[in-house]
Amino acid sequence: MGVWSSFFTTLIKRICTCGKGDRHEGLGNMSSTSVRLWIKDHHVVIDNGILKLTLSKPGGLVTGVQYNGLDNVLEILNNEGNRGYWDVVWSALDESGRKGVFEVYVLKITIGGKNDKNEKIEMINATSFKVIVETEEQVEVSFSRPWDPSLKGKLAPINIDKRFVMLRGSSGFYTYAIYEHLGSEEWQAFSLGETRIAFKLRKDKFHYMAVADDRKRYMPLPDDRLAGRAQPLAFQEAVSLINPVVPEFKGEVDDKYQYTCENKDLMVHGWISHDPPVGFWQITPSNEFRSGGPLKQNLCSHVGPTCLAVFVGAHYAGDDQVPKFGQGEPWKKVFGPVFIYLNSVTCGQDPLTLWDDAKRQMMVEVNSWPYSFPASEDFPKSDQRGNVRGRLLVRDRYVHSDDIPGNGAYVGLAPPGDVGSWQRECKDYQFWSEADCMGDFSLNNVRCGEYNLYAWVPGFLGDYRYHLPVTITPGCDIDVGNLVYEPPRDGPTLWEIGIPDRSAAEFHVPDPDPKYVNQLFVNNPKSNFRQYGLWERYGELYPDGDLVFIVGESDYRKDWFYAQVPRRKEDNSYEGTTWQIKFRLENVQRASCYKFRMALAGATLAEVQVRVNDPNKPRPLFTTGLIGRDNAIARHGIHGLYWLYEIDVPGSLFGEGENIIYLKQPRNQSPFQGIMYDYIRLEGPQS
């Protein structure tokens, strides 16, 4: 337990007090009791003998979850509307669907302002309750909130139907929702900035959080973030704990963004109580309803104790990941089901093993997808879906004379669009799989519809898109055969920096300022970039001049900073930075064209200007212009959205011997305006 031993040893000693109300054995509690439903004046109660779920009526807010001797695992100090709920963040648009206020929102957050006043947050409080299924094996209830033009400007212009499902013998409950924007001119245009389900757990019980095997720990209390116990840092989510309730946390930084996960890894997370030993877990068995593909990052669990399932959100992407709907644009989507799983151990067992059990349960849920029990006709069962399989090969004759298996390739079906459009697609469904070592892939249980097949391969630049549309029909099994991806390439590699994997993780991530440490990430190379304040370390490492990388001498793992950010000056203002890549060329072909390829792992209100051998030339050879709103640097990310540029460099700009490419990032209004590089390559003329 490390530094928390004194507090938590005392806590654990209180665990083994099995009362006569203890009804369950093992981790995944089972019961033969049928599912029962009670409908009261203001509440609905569902009980299967393992847990009891209480929902407000007709609002459909989760007010209570009784389990394993705890009358309520949710925060009883909160009012009933702030324990478990679905919500949406939305903004009105003009008739064409323009004026994305989240564009303003992300900009203001980036430079330390407040949210746009036009942004509205609605906790989804239903107005109608209905029993959908009531048998001994299953209860499913609906809480719906319709919209009509009289509610314009007051509520998000969506019909919302929240569902809750409990099964016999299941140690948890399921929830999903159907959102619909009707194709009628009376339905106003809007943007959907975020939608999620949130649970607020009891702070006197749930102290241990787990979001991944390398990110699990005892957490500070929410009280530790209050004035007098915490010092605010550069933005409101980050605080330094100066007088925490548990003294061992003193000096640490807490920020919920240190615990975000990529969709592909965000399948299970949650909290553990020691007294009684209970786990509360949110399990997402499929990513089909989450936007942005496998690399999209979302919040999950954080100090509160809070447990989230985020379905749509702008984090680590910005306005590109905010769906916008024009007036009368028809749209319907099912979010979920997700599973809220509760588990426990018998006396004498280590409560921390509940995390391992939650991971096992997650695999049970994944293997059960698509579920057979949801009653909504908008959720297709397995026989109403189809499959796609094939093999992806990579053809790069400058790397190998034969086609290379797409080992570890990410292959997906997403709505039709341009090459790489999947990472910005945020309205509909996506289905992704990781290819095996031979490049073989399968995409199973795909909803019916028309898709493009997209892919990208770690170790190679760019994106692949199959040239034919893929139409899924019920029961289909489509074999697309061997697909060949030819990544961008004009000539031989003269030099390269980094690894083309859409991340800056391979570059130099500095140690944090000792004043701003989160102990979880100390000696944790997989997550060291999550420490607070790393952007300020650049100016400390390069106080007088900027980074200079010498090809053939420098090591990108040590000598290439993970982000090109502004440097803080003595007056606390910031200045843009210019990085240099020095390299030698012999036998320059001055009449030919060289290719400079620059892949970015993220960008926040930044710009890259490229100059060759003359840093003061008024007009750069190339500029990205102002790009990016992912805010990944401030949010402790190692990537945001992916950007790829190819720049023609006339051979006449090079000289024999030493040459220099200058990368200037001039934007400097905020410390978070910067670039994270993925991979850089200079290619010689085509041969």
Side-chain angles (χ1 to χ4, degrees):
M1 295 186 199
V3 297
W4 326 129
S5 57
S6 61
F7 175 76
F8 291 109
T9 298
T10 302
L11 185 62
I12 290 173
K13 286 179 180 178
R14 299 168 53 198
I15 294 172
C16 296
T17 53
C18 295
K20 61 182 180 181
D22 229 349
R23 298 176 292 182
H24 318 305
E25 296 181 356
L27 305 185
N29 297 323
M30 299 296 291
S31 171
S32 60
T33 303
S34 61
V35 188
R36 293 165 291 175
L37 173 67
W38 288 275
I39 301 174
K40 303 180 180 181
D41 289 341
H42 301 292
H43 294 89
V44 174
V45 180
I46 312 173
D47 187 350
N48 67 357
I50 299 173
L51 77 157
K52 182 183 293 184
L53 174 66
T54 302
L55 305 157
S56 67
K57 171 175 167 282
L61 306 176
V62 184
T63 64
V65 179
Q66 181 178 325
Y67 175 77
N68 198 44
L70 270 179
D71 287 340
N72 200 345
V73 303
L74 304 181
E75 183 53 85
I76 55 178
L77 299 179
N78 291 359
N79 63 52
E80 287 196 345
N82 189 28
R83 296 178 184 177
Y85 54 87
W86 287 76
D87 65 11
V88 294
V89 178
W90 68 283
S91 298
L93 304 179
D94 64 21
E95 293 181 3
S96 66
R98 292 180 298 179
K99 190 186 177 295
V101 297
F102 257 75
E103 183 173 330
V104 179
Y105 163 70
V106 176
L107 170 61
K108 288 190 173 184
I109 287 294
T110 300
I111 58 177
K114 295 182 179 180
N115 298 0
D116 189 273
K117 64 181 180 180
N118 294 319
E119 170 193 303
K120 296 180 174 65
I121 300 175
E122 178 193 348
M123 184 179 294
I124 302 170
N125 217 330
T127 57
S128 177
F129 163 72
K130 184 179 181 180
V131 178
I132 304 298
V133 176
E134 184 180 8
T135 69
E136 292 186 351
E137 302 299 319
Q138 172 181 343
V139 167
E140 177 168 344
V141 292
S142 163
F143 299 87
S144 58
R145 192 275 281 153
W147 189 89
D148 64 61
S150 69
L151 298 170
K152 184 176 181 179
K154 301 176 182 177
L155 300 178
I158 328 170
N159 287 334
I160 298 175
D161 183 359
K162 299 183 295 182
R163 301 289 183 94
F164 294 88
V165 183
M166 186 178 290
L167 306 178
R168 182 201 285 260
S170 176
S171 189
F173 63 94
Y174 299 85
T175 183
Y176 66 105
I178 304 103
Y179 288 20
E180 184 175 22
H181 185 257
L182 294 186
S184 166
E185 287 301 311
E186 296 178 330
W187 283 62
Q188 74 178 114
F190 79 107
S191 65
L192 181 61
E194 183 177 78
T195 190
R196 63 181 188 169
I197 185 168
F199 293 96
K200 309 292 183 67
L201 306 181
R202 287 179 58 166
K203 67 179 182 180
D204 64 330
K205 297 295 183 181
F206 291 91
H207 300 136
Y208 189 90
M209 186 184 81
V211 301
D213 283 336
D214 68 326
R215 288 190 290 157
K216 55 185 192 291
R217 63 170 292 180
Y218 293 100
M219 295 291 288
L221 295 171
D223 308 64
D224 295 334
R225 296 180 54 87
L226 300 177
R229 293 194 178 276
Q231 177 68 46
L233 296 176
F235 39 85
Q236 63 183 2
E237 294 87 354
V239 298
S240 176
L241 306 179
I242 57 175
N243 183 31
V245 175
V246 179
E248 286 86 349
F249 288 115
K250 185 175 182 178
E252 285 210 46
V253 166
D254 179 67
D255 183 346
K256 64 183 180 181
Y257 291 102
Q258 293 179 316
Y259 302 101
T260 55
C261 291
E262 295 175 339
N263 280 345
K264 65 182 177 63
D265 302 319
L266 188 48
M267 309 299 284
V268 58
H269 61 92
W271 290 82
I272 294 173
S273 161
H274 283 76
D275 182 20
V278 166
F280 183 99
W281 311 100
Q282 191 272 305
I283 294 177
T284 303
S286 170
N287 281 321
E288 69 178 50
F289 44 79
R290 291 202 286 213
S291 60
L295 300 186
K296 174 67 172 70
Q297 299 160 91
N298 281 308
L299 290 164
C300 48
S301 288
H302 57 79
V303 163
T306 298
C307 190
L308 304 174
V310 179
F311 306 113
V312 172
H315 293 126
Y316 302 94
D319 194 58
D320 285 336
Q321 268 292 315
V322 175
K324 302 169 187 65
F325 303 92
Q327 183 172 339
E329 178 182 345
W331 173 76
K332 181 186 280 190
K333 189 170 184 179
V334 178
F335 295 107
V338 297
F339 185 42
I340 307 305
Y341 177 58
L342 291 96
N343 56 0
S344 60
V345 295
T346 56
C347 291
Q349 293 181 297
D350 184 358
L352 300 188
T353 61
L354 293 171
W355 165 242
D356 296 319
D357 176 65
K359 291 188 294 180
R360 286 190 290 269
Q361 186 64 38
M362 178 267 290
M363 291 307 304
V364 171
E365 302 301 321
V366 169
N367 292 330
S368 301
W369 188 270
Y371 295 133
S372 60
F373 58 80
S376 172
E377 62 182 14
D378 294 309
F379 183 81
K381 309 305 186 287
S382 61
D383 62 351
Q384 299 170 296
R385 298 172 177 239
N387 304 317
V388 177
R389 52 194 168 89
R391 187 185 188 207
L392 184 68
L393 303 171
V394 180
R395 181 174 297 164
D396 187 338
R397 294 295 181 251
Y398 288 96
V399 174
H400 201 283
S401 58
D402 296 326
D403 291 345
I404 305 165
N407 181 17
Y410 290 89
V411 185
L413 292 174
D418 296 330
V419 174
S421 60
W422 57 268
Q423 72 165 342
R424 290 175 169 82
E425 194 284 320
C426 50
K427 287 185 178 180
D428 295 306
Y429 302 95
Q430 297 193 25
F431 302 84
W432 287 87
S433 176
E434 189 172 345
D436 65 16
C437 62
M438 298 304 296
D440 293 314
F441 64 88
S442 61
L443 297 157
N444 300 322
N445 296 306
V446 180
R447 284 171 166 261
C448 292
E450 185 171 294
Y451 301 87
N452 278 147
L453 188 149
Y454 303 92
W456 66 276
V457 188
F460 294 91
L461 278 173
D463 278 276
Y464 171 80
R465 185 189 63 172
Y466 186 41
H467 67 283
L468 297 175
V470 177
T471 301
I472 301 297
T473 57
C476 73
D477 186 12
I478 301 172
D479 186 351
V480 295
N482 289 343
L483 307 178
V484 178
Y485 171 48
E486 297 187 47
R489 170 74 75 173
D490 280 20
T493 299
L494 301 181
W495 50 260
E496 59 187 349
I497 299 172
I499 301 169
D501 60 359
R502 306 184 179 227
S503 165
E506 70 268 30
F507 298 126
H508 176 59
V509 177
D511 292 331
D513 186 317
K515 299 193 299 291
Y516 303 126
V517 171
N518 183 320
Q519 292 294 336
L520 179 63
F521 308 124
V522 175
N523 299 320
N524 186 345
K526 288 178 61 178
S527 295
N528 58 350
F529 60 86
R530 299 180 185 277
Q531 296 280 17
Y532 174 85
L534 300 183
W535 54 87
E536 296 286 7
R537 304 295 277 173
Y538 177 79
E540 297 169 12
L541 290 172
Y542 301 93
D544 302 315
D546 285 319
L547 182 151
V548 177
F549 188 91
I550 303 173
V551 174
E553 297 182 17
S554 301
D555 182 345
Y556 64 75
R557 296 169 297 181
K558 301 176 182 178
D559 303 317
W560 190 273
F561 199 74
Y562 82 104
Q564 185 173 2
V565 292
R567 179 192 297 102
R568 184 192 291 270
K569 298 192 295 185
E570 290 185 0
D571 63 359
N572 285 327
S573 66
Y574 290 87
E575 61 183 356
T577 53
T578 302
W579 291 8
Q580 300 180 40
I581 305 172
K582 293 185 175 182
F583 57 98
R584 296 187 64 82
L585 288 180
E586 310 297 339
N587 302 315
V588 174
Q589 299 180 39
R590 297 182 63 82
S592 298
C593 186
Y594 292 71
K595 188 74 74 174
F596 181 66
R597 300 193 187 275
M598 181 174 67
L600 307 181
T604 302
L605 295 168
E607 176 185 7
V608 181
Q609 299 175 358
V610 179
R611 292 177 173 84
V612 178
N613 286 328
D614 183 357
N616 300 313
K617 196 167 184 177
R619 296 189 62 179
L621 173 67
F622 171 83
T623 177
T624 62
L626 183 66
I627 59 169
R629 300 180 183 276
D630 60 46
N631 214 21
I633 294 170
R635 299 309 192 210
H636 321 297
I638 203 63
H639 72 84
L641 293 181
Y642 179 71
W643 308 75
L644 179 60
Y645 299 94
E646 54 179 52
I647 302 153
D648 291 329
V649 184
S652 59
L653 294 180
F654 290 132
E656 296 290 326
E658 184 175 272
N659 291 268
I660 304 175
I661 289 179
Y662 296 91
L663 303 177
K664 182 176 183 178
Q665 199 299 103
R667 309 290 177 152
N668 58 14
Q669 292 177 289
S670 159
F672 310 125
Q673 288 181 270
I675 294 290
M676 287 188 284
Y677 294 93
D678 168 39
Y679 175 76
I680 295 173
R681 182 169 77 209
L682 181 65
E683 297 173 9
Q686 187 172 1
S687 61

